[in-house]
Every structure is written in C-alpha cells, then in structure tokens.
Amino acid sequence: MKVDVLLGLQWGDEGKGKIVDVLTPSYDIIARFQGGPNAGHTLEFEGIKHVLHTIPSGIFHPNVINIVGNGVVIDPVIFKAELDKLKPFNINFEARLLISKKAHLILPTHKLLDAASEQAKGKNKIGSTLKGIGPTYMDKTGRNGLRVGDIFLPNFQDKYSALVEKHIGILEHHTDFTYDLEMLEKPWFEAIEDLKTLEAIDSEHYLNSALIHGKKVLAEGAQGTMLDIDFGTYPFVTSSNTVTAGTCTGLGIAPTKIGNVIGIFKAYCTRVGSGPFPTELLDNDGELMRKEGNEFGATTGRPRRCGWLDLVQLRYAIMVNGVSELAMMKSDVLGIFDHINICTHYKINGQEVRDFPYDVTDLEIEPIYQQLEGWRCDLTELDDFKNAPLALKNYVSYLETQLSIPIRVISVGPDRKQTLNN
Ligand code: GDP
Ligand code: IMO
Ligand code: MG
C-alpha cells in the first residue's frame, strides 16, 4: 500500500481538518507529519464544532488509529488540554492515539523565545501564533532538542534543565522582555505525566509495517504550501516543510511510497499573520468575504486577510506537491458576489509573470484577473453537484482547465455533510 497525503495549497486554514474527517472512513490510520499547536483544524458534525491542534483529525472515527509523527512538535500543555476537551466523547486514546518517540517537545522557554523574538522584530514580525514553533524546530536542527522518548529516561530532568539554561542565556539578551518561567513550568511537568499515559512508538516502523500489511494511511498536513520553510513566502513562513516531501521526513515514509496527493484550496484566498499576499482585498469585498466566510483564526482568533483566488500561487503549490486531485472549499462563501475574480497571472515591471516569483515581498505585483459570473445563491443545502448552479459548474471547470487537475470534492459548508463529490 501507499500513503495518501492531504495538505493545504495556500496559506493554511483551507479546511484540512474537515476533509480529513470526511475521508477517514476510507482509511485505517491518520498521521500528522509536521507542525504543532500553531495548527487549528476545525471539524463539524452533529451540531458540534471541534478544533484540533495536535491530535489528528481522524480521532472521531472508531477503529481508526491516529498517529502524531516524528515531524510534529508537541506542547504537552496544549496536548493535555485537547485530550481533556475530548473526554466527554469517550475516545479510547490509549488504543487509538500513538505518539512518535522522535517528535520534539515544545518547552515553556521555547514559547518565551518565540514571544521575545517577535517583540524584537517590531513591525517586521512574522505574526507567529507564539506557540514556540520556530524556537523548537531551531533546537531540533541545532541538535539541542528534547524528544518524546526522552521523557521516559531517568536523566530527563537534567536534559530539560540544561536546555532551559541555554534558553535563559538567550533571553537575557532581550533586556525589555519579562517573564515568569516558574508559572509555566508547573503545568508543563504535570502535562508530561499525561503524555506518558499514551503509547510512544517508533512511528516509522509502525507505519511501514502497517503498509506491508495492507493498511490504508492518510497523512494530514498542517499549515499550507505558502507557509513552507523552503517554498513559502520566506521569511513570513512557519518552520517546517508543509509540502508532500514533509511526509517522507515527518513520518519515515519513502518517496516511492507516496500515493495520491490531495491538495486543498479555498475558492478564494486567506492569510493570517504578516507577509505578502498578492491578491489581498483591502476593500469592501475583502470585508464581505471575511464576514461571510467567518474568517477568524481557529488558533488565535485573529481576523484572516482575504482575497481572490490566485492561480499563479496555486499552480506553484500543485507543482511542488505533485498534487493528483483537488478539493475546493468554502464555495458557499462566494455566493454573495455578482462577479468573481480569478488571478491568472501577475504584472511585474510591465512584464507578464506566470511562475510564482522569488520575491513577492518587495516587488510591486499587479494581479491580472479573469472575471467569471457569480452564482448568487445559497449553496449550503446543495446535496449533489449535478444540481449545482451553472455558474458554479463553470467556475469549477474553468479551474480544472487552468490547473490541469480534477477537482474531486466541492465543499459548501463547514459540516461533514456539506461535502459534494464531482
Ligand atoms: P484547517 O486549518 O485547514 O483545518 O482549516 P480551519 O479549521 O483553520 O479553517 C477552516 C474554517 O472553515 C473552519 O471554521 C471550518 O469549519 C470552515 N469550513 C470548512 N469548509 C467550509 C465550507 O465549505 N464552507 C464554509 N462556510 N466553511 C467551511
Ligand atoms: P493550520 O494547520 C494559518 C502562520 C502564522 C504566521 C506564520 C508563522 O490551521 O492551517 P508560527 O506560529 O508557525 O511561527 O507562525 O504562519 N500559521 C498559520 N496560518 N493556519 C495555520 O495552521 C498556521 N500555522 C501557522 O499566522 O503568519
Ligand atoms: Mg487552521
């Protein structure tokens, strides 16, 4: 068997959590491969809305195993809060939620370093979720980090103290940054005890053996391609590889074992935090999109910036991920517009540009739009794509032609059921 991958093609929040939940019945294992509690994945069914940060989005389906892979970074406190929140749903976490021993731990001081670094950057700040993601991945690549497997070692406390001492040394340089570490440490060590109740595994062995035994695995991405540390709008990115290749390093899956790559995009575009966004709408249309799409961050509650769909960006994301099929989310939100714009190319210094350029931060980019008719109706009750308004069908087939990839799923609302196959 091969591992299918589902990931975001824009700047995150495309609706990954919803579609993983919808697809889970066809899989045996759902595995997160990167990111951490900077992610907020929303699932809605039976009138309840759940937001997951570290736990994979397959957790609500009985008999499916959920794995937090080695590429993920874990904040034990946030993880415990997620487990506590799910208590009323009687999920057998001991049997169904497995954690890689090689996943790195976010220490309280990683969060402090994140906040201190953002404060020092002033107006150039990344707009980080301040969950300690950057500093934790820095310690991973700097070969200083602590891993889940370490919490079972007798010298864990010593390892912890040595790393914290290093961090305090760095924090001393941030003279105008104040903090109370003790207050953060108590709940952290309590949460480590909760983490110990779950099974820590060698997830690369577990997953490869599962594949040999014919199990179906879906890898769940976090963030989005334009937040990838290599291919995103650097430096306004996260600190992990959010692209398909991240599945290989974040789970121990060989490239030859990657199957379908399902790319998710919104029918328009959003971004939360700082950084370039060529098709951003700073006018009333952007405000309307934010309102209609309820575009506020699932992790931080910050308003998301909104804009039209950007095919230059999307083609780039499809290329670096090797996307084999697409899912278009939030189609219902565009029902408020008479006309819908799609950016087909950029104009930079009078030149037509179709390949996503190196520099999108400092260059003056004029997005060039193709205008299509809007459908001007409520799609949220639509239960078959065959009955979709002609304007929506035209929108979908225009995109399929432009992107040369089939759009297999069209989402028309946040609920599990509001999902149409094409
Ligand atoms: P993720 O991080 O990719 O899982 O996405 P988020 O959960 O951060 O953000 C997606 C938001 O859109 C959530 O509030 C979802 O409930 C919601 N959502 C998902 N699909 C649709 C859709 O088709 N229509 C509408 N209106 N909302 C949707
Ligand atoms: P999901 O998985 C949207 C953004 C932050 C910031 C930048 C760096 O829900 O799609 P970090 O905390 O990683 O240092 O922040 O990346 N960001 C996200 N934006 N969705 C996410 O995750 C994000 N995770 C990080 O807003 O601009
Ligand atoms: Mg999100």
Side-chain angles (χ1 to χ4, degrees):
M1 297 299 286
K2 295 199 168 189
V3 173
D4 292 340
V5 184
L6 180 143
L7 42 71
L9 298 180
Q10 296 161 321
W11 280 277
D13 302 331
E14 296 88 351
K16 299 175 290 293
K18 168 179 165 164
I19 296 299
V20 170
D21 172 59
V22 167
L23 296 179
T24 297
S26 312
Y27 290 92
D28 301 297
I29 299 172
I30 308 295
R32 276 277 305 270
F33 59 90
Q34 47 67 237
N38 49 349
H41 293 181
T42 314
L43 291 73
E44 260 188 70
F45 52 89
E46 292 156 17
I48 309 179
K49 177 171 156 172
H50 303 273
V51 181
L52 300 172
H53 301 287
T54 324
I55 298 176
S57 301
I59 199 70
F60 292 100
H61 294 264
N63 310 322
V64 173
I65 300 290
N66 288 259
I67 295 181
V68 179
N70 59 277
V72 176
V73 291
I74 299 176
D75 181 336
V77 177
I78 294 178
F79 193 57
K80 174 178 158 43
E82 283 188 73
L83 293 172
D84 288 348
K85 227 175 173 179
L86 293 179
K87 266 197 185 130
F89 300 93
N90 293 324
I91 296 164
N92 183 358
F93 290 121
E94 284 77 13
R96 294 195 29 232
L97 182 58
L98 310 176
I99 319 288
S100 167
K101 286 181 198 161
K102 295 191 175 78
H104 278 245
L105 293 171
I106 302 175
L107 271 56
T109 39
H110 283 132
K111 281 167 89 162
L112 295 173
L113 287 167
D114 212 359
S117 158
E118 283 285 78
Q119 185 178 303
K121 282 193 167 122
K123 68 173 179 36
N124 295 322
K125 69 175 185 185
I126 307 293
S128 161
T129 61
L130 301 179
K131 303 295 178 195
I133 304 295
T136 306
Y137 279 114
M138 280 165 72
D139 269 339
K140 176 178 177 174
T141 52
R143 297 157 293 179
N144 298 312
L146 292 186
R147 303 188 291 178
V148 167
D150 294 332
I151 67 177
F152 303 100
L153 301 177
N155 64 348
F156 175 60
Q157 180 70 48
D158 296 342
K159 282 181 174 238
Y160 172 87
S161 302
L163 187 51
V164 166
E165 206 170 301
K166 244 184 214 156
H167 292 163
I168 289 173
I170 303 170
L171 286 166
E172 272 166 14
H173 295 284
H174 295 268
T175 44
D176 52 354
F177 183 79
T178 53
Y179 60 90
D180 180 353
L181 179 56
E182 251 174 59
M183 200 187 76
L184 300 173
E185 276 182 330
K186 194 172 171 287
W188 194 83
F189 277 103
E190 281 167 13
I192 287 286
E193 293 308 310
D194 284 72
L195 196 54
K196 281 183 183 164
T197 64
L198 296 177
E199 194 178 348
I201 59 163
D202 294 304
S203 57
E204 64 279 31
H205 286 299
Y206 185 99
L207 283 164
N208 281 290
S209 157
L211 293 177
I212 288 167
H213 290 98
K215 301 285 184 204
K216 292 192 74 186
V217 180
L218 177 66
E220 173 181 1
Q223 289 78 57
T225 303
M226 303 318 290
L227 293 172
D228 181 270
I229 183 73
D230 283 282
F231 302 106
T233 48
Y234 193 88
F236 300 99
V237 294
T238 192
S239 299
S240 63
N241 280 116
T242 62
V243 294
T244 304
T247 311
C248 299
T249 56
L251 292 175
I253 299 296
T256 48
K257 298 270 168 60
I258 301 291
N260 283 339
V261 179
I262 306 158
I264 300 215
F265 67 102
K266 280 178 187 168
Y268 50 100
C269 237
T270 65
R271 168 162 212 171
V272 61
S274 330
F277 180 177
T279 61
E280 181 171 16
L281 289 167
L282 297 166
D283 58 6
N284 191 43
D285 281 350
E287 195 54 49
L288 284 172
M289 256 181 214
R290 179 158 40 248
K291 244 192 178 155
E292 187 69 13
N294 193 22
E295 294 295 357
F296 296 89
T299 295
T300 59
R302 292 177 293 176
R304 296 180 185 138
R305 300 153 63 193
C306 297
W308 297 117
L309 193 66
D310 181 346
L311 295 184
V312 181
Q313 178 273 304
L314 211 48
R315 278 192 293 262
Y316 179 71
I318 287 170
M319 174 184 81
V320 295
N321 287 302
V323 170
S324 53
E325 56 188 90
L326 291 162
M328 183 170 89
M329 310 302 289
K330 303 196 99 159
S331 320
D332 52 306
V333 174
L334 292 185
I336 55 170
F337 294 106
D338 289 332
H339 300 283
I340 297 170
N341 287 336
I342 301 175
C343 170
T344 53
H345 57 281
Y346 300 155
K347 212 175 210 181
I348 302 174
N349 295 327
Q351 301 283 319
E352 187 179 304
V353 173
R354 287 179 182 270
D355 290 339
F356 198 75
Y358 169 77
D359 182 5
V360 275
T361 306
D362 299 316
L363 281 181
E364 185 95 18
I365 295 180
E366 186 194 345
I368 306 299
Y369 293 108
Q370 167 77 47
Q371 192 165 77
L372 298 192
E373 283 296 308
W375 38 93
R376 286 296 313 176
C377 65
D378 177 12
L379 297 179
T380 57
E381 302 288 323
L382 194 65
D383 57 6
D384 192 332
F385 188 65
K386 284 195 193 84
N387 304 325
L390 186 61
L392 174 61
K393 287 184 175 164
N394 286 343
Y395 191 74
V396 169
S397 54
Y398 177 81
L399 293 179
E400 287 185 322
T401 307
Q402 289 288 320
L403 300 170
S404 310
I405 308 279
I407 301 178
R408 295 251 190 261
V409 170
I410 290 121
S411 178
V412 292
D415 194 274
R416 241 183 214 174
K417 292 197 179 121
Q418 292 169 306
T419 314
L420 313 177
N421 293 317
N422 177 24

